[in-house]
Amino acid sequence: MKITAEEVKKVALLSRLSFTDKEIEELEDSMSGILTYMEELNQYDTENVAPMAHAVEQFNVMREDKPHTSFTNEQALMNAPEKEDGYFKVPRII
């Protein structure tokens, strides 16, 4: 499918973008190539293909979640530069 300069300018206007005449010519070729490729992909039957986010199936490698003892409040605050009433004291940001 061939995209015209007017169509590129219309898309640019809707996108609030501005292009030089040379860039518009490059975008014509690029957008035409994309639409030609999409037309080629449309010839394949994808009716029974499940949607996916990645072409290759990926799995997270995670350790088993095992409960264990944690730091006490005193241990957590042991090396704190400043503490107050059992909490870390940090400079006010707001």
Side-chain angles (χ1 to χ4, degrees):
M1 177 175 200
K2 181 71 176 151
I3 297 291
T4 64
E6 289 76 30
E7 290 171 322
V8 173
K9 289 176 184 177
K10 181 178 178 181
V11 171
L13 178 68
L14 293 172
S15 304
R16 308 288 195 265
L17 299 172
S18 61
F19 298 107
T20 65
D21 290 337
K22 185 175 187 284
E23 290 172 324
I24 289 175
E25 289 176 22
E26 292 173 3
L27 284 169
E28 279 182 66
D29 295 336
S30 179
M31 293 171 76
S32 293
I34 291 169
L35 291 177
T36 301
Y37 184 66
M38 294 306 296
E39 286 175 352
E40 182 181 326
L41 290 177
N42 282 335
Q43 72 182 356
Y44 299 106
D45 179 26
T46 58
E47 188 67 32
N48 296 321
V49 177
M52 62 177 79
H54 299 283
V56 179
E57 197 168 349
Q58 298 177 345
F59 299 97
N60 284 333
V61 179
M62 297 187 176
R63 64 174 171 77
E64 185 179 333
D65 192 14
K66 296 179 185 175
H68 57 83
T69 58
S70 186
F71 293 118
T72 64
N73 199 30
E74 291 79 25
Q75 289 173 324
L77 293 170
M78 185 171 39
N79 292 324
E82 290 188 56
K83 51 192 166 200
E84 184 177 296
D85 298 328
Y87 297 99
F88 291 98
K89 187 173 180 182
V90 296
R92 175 174 277 175
I93 297 173
I94 298 176

